[in-house]
Amino acid sequence: MTEQATSLSPRIQARAIARLWRALSHFPLRWLWRAAALVGPQVYRFSKRERQVTEINLKVVYPEASASQRKTLAQQSLQHSTATMLELGHAWMAPPEKVEASILAVHGRDKLDSARAEGRGVIVLAPHFGNWEVLNFWLSSHFPFTAMYEPPKIADLDPIIRHGRERMGAKLVPTNPRGVAALLKALKRSEAIGILPDQEPNWGSGVFAPFYGRHAYTATLLPKLVARTQARVVTGVALRVPGKGFEIHFLDADEQVYSEEDVTSATGVNASVEASIALHPVQYQWEYKRYRKVVEEQQGLHNANDFRLY
């Protein structure tokens, strides 16, 4: 009986989560923001891991800020992260017209339109900022759009998440060579693709490049795609207007992203992420361990742990 309960557990979890998303999809955004205002402080108080990682990252990024200022930033950041989780049902399951109506403005669409008019594909760097699922909704609603996708740890959630992300026409491809090939084909068709620029890749798939002055292991997929397709690179975010909706912003990527040299291109990627964060720093997902890998580990030094932040 214990084995049966264990085997059913992921399925039960997936059903419960899906029902919660479905229920939350019916709520107005103002109610979800109010809920985030209530839950966010509890996340800060009781989720030790999220609180500590957020505060460590903010200390790296804003060393001149006082401890009390960083604490306030951390609390606000975790409230926004909580809001993103509560809004997943809105992005994935609410009627499309409701989601479209929640997008209050789109800034910089001309960057995508002009590139496609020139017969060039568009690479959208989509950092974990604001509500990136709303960004996916808008992109796949208005352009042929392809993005890499890694299945969730709870396998039974996979079809639910996949349906939510693909329902407006997005094509999801695996995070492997077959997926890279699909991205190249999409760009050669002058379509748009999405890349997460702020996830730490596996060893061998990146280089160390500065992110707020500290080395962060950064993926090198971008220069390979640009070199083979001459695509235009932009940064895209869905900035949250608390309780009201979202504003989509497309920003020109840092010019270094077009370099064929991996470290230079990765530096441009990180600079592009920094520029988007500057729109509203507390809307970035600072609880991600962006500096987990360290140069000393790559060099095989025995004291590499002395240089880790987490």
Side-chain angles (χ1 to χ4, degrees), residues 92 132-133 136 140 149 161-167 170 172:
W92 290 341
W132 51 91
E133 298 296 347
N136 173 81
S140 56
Y149 172 73
I161 296 175
R162 183 179 290 273
H163 179 268
R165 289 181 173 174
E166 290 185 326
R167 67 175 178 147
L172 302 182

Side-chain angles (χ1 to χ4, degrees), residues 250-277:
F250 293 106
L251 311 173
D252 287 319
D254 186 282
E255 286 297 317
Q256 294 177 96
V257 301
Y258 297 103
S259 172
E260 295 182 8
E261 200 279 315
D262 284 345
V263 173
T264 303
S265 178
T267 299
V269 168
N270 289 341
S272 301
V273 174
E274 291 181 24
S276 66
I277 293 172

Side-chain angles (χ1 to χ4, degrees), residues 223-238:
K224 297 176 177 61
L225 295 175
V226 171
R228 295 182 62 178
T229 65
Q230 301 304 306
R232 176 173 294 177
V233 187
V234 302
T235 309
V237 297

Side-chain angles (χ1 to χ4, degrees), residues 32-105:
L32 297 181
W33 179 248
R34 289 172 186 171
L38 294 173
V39 177
Q42 306 312 312
V43 174
Y44 178 84
R45 181 179 179 184
F46 295 109
S47 296
K48 181 178 178 181
R49 184 262 182 206
E50 280 71 20
R51 180 181 70 251
Q52 289 185 338
V53 174
T54 297
E55 291 182 337
I56 289 170
N57 284 335
L58 289 173
K59 189 172 183 179
V60 171
V61 173
Y62 301 114
E64 75 288 350
S66 66
S68 62
Q69 288 174 322
R70 288 197 297 268
K71 179 179 178 179
T72 298
L73 287 172
Q75 291 171 330
Q76 293 174 343
S77 174
L78 290 174
Q79 180 177 338
H80 275 279
S81 292
T82 301
T84 299
M85 297 301 103
L86 294 174
E87 292 162 356
L88 289 178
H90 173 80
W92 290 341
M93 298 177 177
E97 59 271 17
K98 179 181 177 182
V99 184
E100 188 71 34
S102 72
I103 299 173
L104 308 176

Side-chain angles (χ1 to χ4, degrees), residues 57-216:
N57 284 335
L58 289 173
K59 189 172 183 179
V60 171
V61 173
Y62 301 114
E64 75 288 350
S66 66
S68 62
Q69 288 174 322
R70 288 197 297 268
K71 179 179 178 179
T72 298
L73 287 172
Q75 291 171 330
Q76 293 174 343
S77 174
L78 290 174
Q79 180 177 338
H80 275 279
S81 292
T82 301
T84 299
M85 297 301 103
L86 294 174
E87 292 162 356
L88 289 178
H90 173 80
W92 290 341
M93 298 177 177
E97 59 271 17
K98 179 181 177 182
V99 184
E100 188 71 34
S102 72
I103 299 173
L104 308 176
V106 178
H107 307 278
R109 174 177 176 153
D110 59 296
K111 303 179 193 305
L112 285 76
D113 289 332
S114 62
R116 298 194 69 220
E118 296 168 2
R120 301 166 64 187
V122 181
I123 300 173
V124 180
L125 303 177
H128 290 84
F129 176 98
N131 192 317
W132 51 91
E133 298 296 347
V134 170
L135 176 67
N136 173 81
F137 174 93
W138 187 89
L139 281 166
S140 56
S141 299
H142 295 82
F143 298 93
F145 181 65
T146 303
M148 282 188 159
Y149 172 73
E150 187 170 350
K153 293 180 179 178
I154 302 177
D156 289 284
L157 281 176
D158 181 57
I160 300 167
I161 296 175
R162 183 179 290 273
H163 179 268
R165 289 181 173 174
E166 290 185 326
R167 67 175 178 147
M168 302 308 295
K171 180 181 179 182
L172 302 182
V173 298
T175 55
N176 58 28
R178 185 163 61 89
V180 174
L183 295 181
L184 283 167
K185 289 178 181 178
L187 290 174
K188 290 177 180 179
R189 293 192 299 266
S190 303
E191 297 176 1
I193 71 164
I195 291 180
L196 297 174
D198 52 354
Q199 277 193 326
E200 190 177 72
N202 295 326
W203 285 117
S205 298
V207 293
F208 282 99
F211 181 57
Y212 287 102
R214 183 182 175 92
H215 286 302

